[in-house]
Amino acid sequence: MQNEDNLKGLTEKFFKSLKCEVIWKGKILFIEKVPADFEKLFGKKSPYSFVFDTADLNDETELITKGSSLIKLIANYLDHKAQTTLLKIKFNPDFKTELKKNINWNDYEIVSISEKENNDYIYRFTIMTIFQYLNEKEQIISTIYIHNKSILDNFNADNYETGEGKKEEISFDNANIRENYAIAKDKLKYLLQKRTEHISQLLNKSLEKEIQRIDSHYKSEYGEIDTEVGDAIKKIQELNLKLKRASAKNRPIIEEKMERLNQTIEKLNKSEEKEKFEREKSFLINDEKQKHSINISNNLINTSIIYYPIYSLKASIKKKDNLSGFSKEIRLDYNPLTKRLSQLLCEGCKKEINEVNLCSTNHLACTQCISKCPSCFKIVCNSCKKSSCTVCGISMCQKCETICFKCLKPVCKSHSCKDSINGKNLCNNCAEYCPICQRFSQKTNFKKCQSCSSNFCVYCTKSKIVNSKTKILCKYCLDKYY
Ligand SMILES: [Zn+2]
Ligand SMILES: [Zn+2]
Ligand SMILES: [Zn+2]
Ligand SMILES: [Zn+2]
Ligand SMILES: [Zn+2]
Ligand SMILES: [Zn+2]
Ligand SMILES: [Zn+2]
């Protein structure tokens, strides 16, 4: 069953990788639109109807088993073809909905959205691994996805609508592919590790058995020689006993016999036969070791560069009750694959925010950075330029600030006035009030009345000759006394 499933998967994946149309019709794998060069190799024109169980075999179907020419052909074909395909994932996002869903717009509404596309890339490597050991041949197809130089788990391009990509739409080079393929191969090693270990264990067990079998075979082969040696040793022991009791005359005869037996033992142990057996044995063991090795080959079936757009969005927004149309442009990136929108940032503290608050000068700000101008009570934020009045020290927004033309310092509305003579802004420190015309002007424009000793502006004072002396007099004193 396991094997049958493997074959099904292999065949299906293989034809899919050739971009054929592959459909399961019940237990029949139906394949159409097969590339001509494969048809030629296979010797049959498509469509093909493959089955994997003899029970499903009929006149119109072809049975695929491990030994089928198709499977051999697939392996062969893969050796010589490694295709690179370009795939574009199609997206058609509704930006307005995405923006509304992800951000609290408060009192603002989106007027219009414009978008620009930048591509993001995913590399897909389809690799067929063939394990060969003893008389077994096992194929595993692995698909590895890489994004930003790291493995993308839980991703499957089949879950997305894709179309054929265009070379001119993307930028990549072969060095890029090689770099990513190296990452994929590392992952592949990891993916195959369990299978490899399992097979190695099986092979080790089997090898041990074989070595034991060879060992016991040669033990019985050596047997004959060993008995001969054993017999000789026994005889020597017997002669040894005789030697102790023997007369001086008999001794040399016994000693000679013992010497001959020793030579026999030596001969037997060094015999060509035994050496031959040893050679045979080590040859057979080495042979078994060879047979029990595992041969793993990886074939890159297909490289796909999958690309999809990252959208750079510009959303024009306005306050809902603002009829004039536009207040600010907000920039965001949207990744349709992850369905993630980039974060809005507070222009003041750069913290991530997910709601829209604009200050009175249209800065995007977080709630912590927003406050009211103590002078005009309009909303201001930390990135708004602020100053304090040179007269009262109150902090105020730029709209509230005027600059005194005399001292060039900022001043709030309630402590600034217009110079009645040149019409410029003055701070209260630099201005003086004329009680006659009830207007302000800079202090140098005031003169002291030589009658009442009060200061008045140049408009309200006059020089008059009194008793042949020139006097400066205010309008009051002039009217009263002269
Ligand atoms: Zn902030
Ligand atoms: Zn203000
Ligand atoms: Zn602001
Ligand atoms: Zn003030
Ligand atoms: Zn001033
Ligand atoms: Zn005056
Ligand atoms: Zn006066």
Side-chain angles (χ1 to χ4, degrees):
M1 195 62 209
Q2 180 64 41
N3 251 331
E4 194 186 306
D5 278 347
N6 264 347
L7 286 180
K8 281 180 188 172
L10 172 74
T11 314
E12 185 181 345
K13 272 189 180 170
F14 173 73
F15 283 105
K16 271 187 178 167
S17 78
L18 290 186
K19 304 186 100 189
C20 306
E21 276 191 7
V22 180
I23 315 161
W24 280 100
K25 292 182 173 172
K27 289 183 170 177
I28 300 168
L29 184 63
F30 188 75
I31 294 156
E32 263 186 313
K33 296 191 181 158
V34 178
D37 62 341
F38 187 84
E39 283 182 336
K40 214 170 144 195
L41 276 174
F42 191 39
K44 272 171 220 163
K45 286 235 171 246
S46 58
Y48 306 136
S49 298
F50 295 131
V51 294
F52 299 85
D53 189 334
T54 34
D56 306 318
L57 192 60
N58 60 38
D59 287 349
E60 269 124 55
T61 59
E62 185 170 339
L63 181 69
I64 303 299
T65 60
K66 219 162 45 176
S68 291
S69 59
L70 176 73
I71 298 300
K72 282 176 195 149
L73 196 61
I74 288 177
N76 207 343
Y77 188 82
L78 297 180
D79 281 344
H80 302 102
K81 282 260 168 175
Q83 299 186 327
T84 301
T85 29
L86 298 182
L87 282 181
K88 183 177 188 173
I89 305 182
K90 291 177 183 170
F91 287 108
N92 192 13
D94 177 357
F95 299 121
K96 208 163 191 171
T97 311
E98 292 301 330
L99 289 179
K100 278 186 177 166
K101 203 167 66 191
N102 289 292
I103 293 166
N104 175 5
W105 294 89
N106 288 327
D107 296 334
Y108 294 87
E109 63 184 8
I110 301 164
V111 182
S112 65
I113 301 169
S114 73
E115 90 247 20
K116 231 186 89 192
E117 292 184 16
N118 293 306
N119 287 327
D120 200 9
Y121 300 93
I122 292 173
Y123 291 87
R124 178 180 64 188
F125 297 99
T126 310
I127 302 163
M128 184 167 89
T129 307
I130 302 173
F131 292 96
Q132 259 175 305
Y133 56 95
L134 299 175
N135 288 321
E136 297 291 325
K137 193 168 183 183
E138 211 179 292
Q139 290 106 338
I140 294 178
I141 288 200
S142 315
T143 305
I144 296 166
Y145 292 94
I146 298 173
H147 176 247
N148 276 346
K149 292 183 188 166
S150 52
I151 299 291
L152 204 57
D153 289 315
N154 308 319
F155 177 81
N156 186 350
D158 295 344
N159 295 338
Y160 298 89
E161 195 195 334
T162 52
E164 213 166 306
K166 293 189 187 101
K167 250 188 190 163
E168 60 272 20
E169 282 185 349
I170 64 164
S171 61
F172 77 98
D173 54 40
N174 287 328
N176 229 326
I177 295 179
R178 276 198 300 274
E179 191 183 352
N180 281 290
Y181 185 48
I183 299 168
K185 280 210 281 203
D186 275 346
K187 174 70 176 179
L188 184 68
K189 246 184 235 161
Y190 173 77
L191 288 175
L192 299 176
Q193 199 180 334
K194 267 198 177 154
R195 191 68 206 143
T196 313
E197 276 169 12
H198 179 73
I199 294 172
S200 299
Q201 273 171 13
L202 283 180
L203 290 175
N204 279 342
K205 260 187 208 159
S206 165
L207 180 63
E208 251 170 55
K209 241 192 204 164
E210 287 306 315
I211 290 176
Q212 260 171 26
R213 187 183 56 78
I214 292 167
D215 260 345
S216 63
H217 169 77
Y218 280 96
K219 247 180 206 145
S220 66
E221 289 283 351
Y222 296 153
E224 277 174 40
I225 296 172
D226 287 346
T227 3
E228 276 179 56
V229 173
D231 287 351
I233 290 170
K234 249 187 215 160
K235 271 182 194 159
I236 290 173
Q237 282 165 348
E238 281 165 20
L239 287 172
N240 214 5
L241 287 173
K242 266 189 189 170
L243 191 67
K244 280 175 189 163
R245 296 189 299 263
S247 61
K249 197 185 148 196
N250 280 336
R251 269 177 175 256
I253 302 163
I254 295 171
E255 276 170 353
E256 204 197 311
K257 270 186 187 170
M258 281 171 77
E259 179 55 30
R260 271 207 303 273
L261 280 167
N262 270 326
Q263 278 169 6
T264 309
I265 290 171
E266 211 170 303
K267 229 190 217 164
L268 281 171
N269 277 338
K270 272 192 177 171
S271 75
E272 265 179 43
E273 212 175 351
K274 192 159 181 180
E275 274 174 21
K276 202 182 108 206
F277 283 150
E278 287 290 352
R279 275 202 305 274
E280 261 179 32
K281 188 179 157 185
S282 72
F283 171 80
L284 286 175
I285 288 176
N286 275 334
D287 189 44
E288 285 303 330
K289 278 183 182 164
Q290 278 284 311
K291 279 186 195 155
H292 282 79
S293 66
I294 171 172
N295 185 1
I296 304 171
S297 65
N298 293 316
N299 303 280
L300 181 62
I301 305 172
N302 175 273
T303 304
S304 293
I305 299 172
I306 301 167
Y307 65 103
Y308 60 96
I310 300 283
Y311 298 101
S312 298
L313 304 178
K314 279 188 211 164
S316 298
I317 62 166
K318 72 171 185 73
K319 211 161 189 167
K320 277 176 189 161
D321 54 16
N322 173 6
L323 296 174
S324 69
F326 169 82
S327 35
K328 192 177 176 75
E329 190 178 81
I330 287 184
R331 285 158 190 260
L332 287 158
D333 287 336
Y334 179 66
N335 182 336
L337 191 76
T338 56
K339 293 194 165 65
R340 281 186 69 133
L341 204 61
S342 62
Q343 280 287 338
L344 285 177
L345 296 180
C346 165
E347 287 176 49
C349 64
K350 311 290 175 211
K351 246 193 249 159
E352 292 184 346
I353 48 178
N354 58 6
E355 64 172 325
V356 172
N357 289 303
L358 297 184
C359 75
S360 53
T361 46
N362 284 341
H363 292 126
L364 190 62
C366 74
T367 45
Q368 269 97 46
C369 288
I370 262 178
S371 58
K372 274 183 178 166
C373 167
S375 173
C376 65
F377 305 112
K378 275 189 181 145
I379 291 173
V380 288
C381 78
N382 285 358
S383 27
C384 283
K385 241 185 156 180
K386 266 168 270 179
S387 54
S388 50
C389 171
T390 179
V391 180
C392 68
I394 198 175
S395 144
M396 63 198 157
C397 71
Q398 236 182 338
K399 279 180 184 163
C400 290
E401 167 197 282
T402 48
I403 301 291
C404 167
F405 87 91
K406 194 78 186 147
C407 66
L408 303 175
K409 282 177 182 160
V411 61
C412 76
K413 275 193 178 124
S414 44
H415 296 112
S416 76
C417 53
K418 281 240 156 29
D419 188 306
S420 61
I421 290 166
N422 62 13
K424 289 180 179 169
N425 289 318
L426 263 181
C427 77
N428 284 8
N429 290 341
C430 300
E432 190 152 356
Y433 180 68
C434 171
I436 295 179
C437 64
Q438 299 180 357
R439 292 187 300 184
F440 293 92
S441 187
Q442 53 177 313
K443 284 174 177 162
T444 49
N445 288 336
F446 278 73
K447 284 178 177 161
K448 199 177 199 169
C449 169
Q450 288 174 327
S451 172
C452 65
S453 293
S454 292
N455 281 341
F456 300 95
C457 77
V458 287
Y459 287 135
C460 302
T461 49
K462 277 214 168 87
S463 310
K464 179 114 187 166
I465 300 171
V466 180
N467 297 331
S468 65
K469 275 183 189 161
T470 308
K471 272 192 171 178
I472 291 178
L473 295 170
C474 72
K475 271 187 181 168
Y476 287 150
C477 294
L478 264 176
D479 290 350
K480 251 192 219 164
Y481 309 109
Y482 304 97

